Amino acid sequence: QVQLVESGGGLVQPGGSLRLSCAAAGRILSINNMGWYRQAPGKERDLVAIITAEGRTNYADSVKGRFTISRDNAKSTVFLQMNLLKPEDTAVYYCKAAARPNSDYGFIDYWGKGTLVTVSS
């Protein structure tokens, strides 16, 4: 079984920065795409950023130029550096990874439990 554990959320003032981390643990043969999603109160869960195993990235338009996704393949960890945070960035941020637990399976999507980011003065 693969577990994803997020950390780094919290309360920050508008214009501030936070760095989220998500570490994958358990039986992992390989990991393909890793990404961050967010869900604000009363809204659907939306893609924030995604990174392939080769390091190619894609961002939601609302975060381009402010957020940066990166990963450490040796540590099965993905990061989200969030700068110039706005109140509308307030949400629960979820990590997602397409991981293959062993050779009997293809890639399966796993989700973390989420970490709350609150941007408020």
Side-chain angles (χ1 to χ4, degrees), residues 1-29:
Q1 186 70 5
V2 176
Q3 300 89 35
L4 301 180
V5 180
E6 302 107 331
S7 61
L11 173 64
V12 63
Q13 292 186 343
S17 298
L18 280 177
R19 188 181 194 227
L20 305 182
S21 300
C22 171
R27 294 188 62 186
I28 302 172
L29 181 62

Side-chain angles (χ1 to χ4, degrees), residues 21-76:
S21 300
C22 171
R27 294 188 62 186
I28 302 172
L29 181 62
S30 62
I31 301 177
N32 195 359
N33 293 351
M34 300 185 81
W36 289 95
Y37 293 71
R38 67 186 180 187
Q39 187 167 18
K43 296 189 176 181
E44 295 184 350
R45 190 175 300 186
D46 293 324
L47 173 69
V48 175
I50 193 168
I51 184 167
T52 69
E54 297 79 19
R56 293 189 299 272
T57 60
N58 193 31
Y59 296 91
D61 288 342
S62 59
V63 307
K64 284 180 180 177
R66 300 188 298 122
F67 291 10
T68 302
I69 189 171
S70 60
R71 64 190 284 173
D72 183 335
N73 289 333
K75 297 181 179 180
S76 301

Side-chain angles (χ1 to χ4, degrees), residues 59-112:
Y59 296 91
D61 288 342
S62 59
V63 307
K64 284 180 180 177
R66 300 188 298 122
F67 291 10
T68 302
I69 189 171
S70 60
R71 64 190 284 173
D72 183 335
N73 289 333
K75 297 181 179 180
S76 301
T77 300
V78 62
F79 306 96
L80 186 68
Q81 178 65 44
M82 305 185 293
N83 298 328
L84 299 174
L85 282 160
K86 305 175 181 180
E88 50 263 43
D89 294 319
T90 296
V92 177
Y93 283 70
Y94 296 91
C95 172
K96 178 183 173 183
R100 195 178 180 194
N102 57 61
S103 59
D104 293 335
Y105 296 89
F107 287 99
I108 302 170
D109 285 339
Y110 293 92
W111 289 90

